Amino acid sequence: DAIRFDVSDLREIECPQQYKGHLNGWHLNKSNAIATIEIKPSKSNANLQPAFFSEMAVCNWQLFEDHCFHLLRLIGIHDIHKFPQSDNRGKADGFFKLSSLSVLYDATLENDFVTQKETQVDNNINQLKGDKIKIGQQSYTVKETNRQVWIITRGSNVHHIRTEDHIKVKEIPFSKLIEVYHQRLLSEIGIEDLWDILKDLK
């Protein structure tokens, strides 16, 4: 009259920032689980925070990918393209260019994304090594730009994963992009200032 099971491959992970302020057992109240998880703005008006910011902490991968695209648009990136989910296995989720920053990005909920996405990251780096990136009828010159590959996650810190031919591969927590959103609400940040913040996001 017992159920037996084994647990293997346990890994210690750092508690995500968005959960650190919650009391023990908060997750047991299932009806309020989504409402309880909040990315709290430090000083800006909470009414100016879109509802999907909180959802990003608990949603499935399809919504997470969509929300990352919307978040990047919200912080002021307009030359951005989201690749179709139906045809992007092994490819980036999207591309954007802001001033002289060119980024192929991928949104993931994988914990072991460095290993899982190694081939995909190599493909993204090789794309950025070319002179141009063509998306439909539009072409973007990337050769003389600051080229980066972003893996957008639910992590808590920006990590520099590696650099190849001056192309940086970084883990970018979505919470850091939300911080940029609030920073733009509080300060007059132009395109060049935004470029400066994003190319060296910490």
Side-chain angles (χ1 to χ4, degrees), residues 39-127:
I39 308 297
K40 296 181 180 177
S42 56
K43 295 179 183 176
S44 56
N45 190 329
N47 292 328
L48 299 178
Q49 176 163 291
F52 77 82
F53 283 6
S54 295
E55 192 177 43
M56 291 183 78
V58 294
C59 64
N60 62 32
W61 68 267
Q62 293 100 329
L63 274 178
F64 187 72
E65 185 179 314
D66 285 339
H67 291 337
C68 285
F69 171 75
H70 297 138
L71 176 54
L72 290 166
R73 290 290 300 269
L74 274 178
I75 64 177
I77 300 168
H78 304 298
D79 282 332
I80 182 169
H81 298 270
K82 184 179 184 298
F83 303 147
Q85 288 180 334
S86 59
D87 187 33
N88 70 344
R89 189 167 183 84
K91 302 175 185 176
D93 290 332
F95 167 81
F96 71 81
K97 186 173 181 183
L98 179 73
S99 189
S100 60
L101 174 65
S102 299
V103 175
L104 278 167
Y105 74 89
D106 189 68
T108 186
L109 302 182
E110 296 277 353
N111 289 326
D112 189 23
F113 65 86
V114 175
T115 302
Q116 296 286 336
K117 293 186 174 289
E118 186 175 7
T119 301
Q120 180 177 322
V121 168
D122 287 341
N123 292 339
N124 294 344
I125 289 172
N126 288 332
Q127 267 190 282

Side-chain angles (χ1 to χ4, degrees), residues 1-193:
D1 296 325
I3 297 173
R4 304 181 188 280
F5 58 92
D6 294 320
V7 178
S8 61
D9 198 29
L10 288 177
R11 288 176 302 228
E12 185 175 351
I13 62 169
E14 185 177 342
C15 180
Q17 191 66 37
Q18 61 265 30
Y19 301 120
K20 287 185 178 178
H22 299 315
L23 298 175
N24 288 340
W26 66 269
H27 60 286
L28 298 177
N29 185 352
K30 295 179 182 177
S31 63
N32 292 328
I34 292 179
T36 308
I37 300 170
E38 293 182 309
I39 308 297
K40 296 181 180 177
S42 56
K43 295 179 183 176
S44 56
N45 190 329
N47 292 328
L48 299 178
Q49 176 163 291
F52 77 82
F53 283 6
S54 295
E55 192 177 43
M56 291 183 78
V58 294
C59 64
N60 62 32
W61 68 267
Q62 293 100 329
L63 274 178
F64 187 72
E65 185 179 314
D66 285 339
H67 291 337
C68 285
F69 171 75
H70 297 138
L71 176 54
L72 290 166
R73 290 290 300 269
L74 274 178
I75 64 177
I77 300 168
H78 304 298
D79 282 332
I80 182 169
H81 298 270
K82 184 179 184 298
F83 303 147
Q85 288 180 334
S86 59
D87 187 33
N88 70 344
R89 189 167 183 84
K91 302 175 185 176
D93 290 332
F95 167 81
F96 71 81
K97 186 173 181 183
L98 179 73
S99 189
S100 60
L101 174 65
S102 299
V103 175
L104 278 167
Y105 74 89
D106 189 68
T108 186
L109 302 182
E110 296 277 353
N111 289 326
D112 189 23
F113 65 86
V114 175
T115 302
Q116 296 286 336
K117 293 186 174 289
E118 186 175 7
T119 301
Q120 180 177 322
V121 168
D122 287 341
N123 292 339
N124 294 344
I125 289 172
N126 288 332
Q127 267 190 282
L128 288 171
K129 284 180 181 178
D131 293 345
K132 293 182 179 180
I133 286 186
K134 188 174 181 180
I135 302 167
Q137 301 300 313
Q138 290 184 273
S139 291
Y140 294 90
T141 301
V142 298
K143 187 176 182 181
E144 300 300 327
T145 64
N146 186 317
R147 294 163 292 172
Q148 298 185 13
V149 175
W150 285 9
I151 310 295
I152 304 175
T153 71
R154 286 180 178 157
S156 54
N157 296 302
V158 175
H159 287 118
H160 176 223
I161 298 168
R162 65 181 166 115
T163 299
E164 183 175 324
D165 291 346
H166 305 292
I167 299 170
K168 293 180 180 179
V169 180
K170 297 179 179 179
E171 176 187 4
I172 305 290
F174 80 91
S175 57
K176 294 294 181 183
L177 297 174
I178 290 176
E179 286 177 15
V180 174
Y181 169 81
H182 287 297
Q183 194 176 346
R184 293 204 78 190
L185 292 182
L186 294 168
S187 310
E188 291 187 14
I189 296 175
I191 292 300
E192 289 305 312
D193 297 319

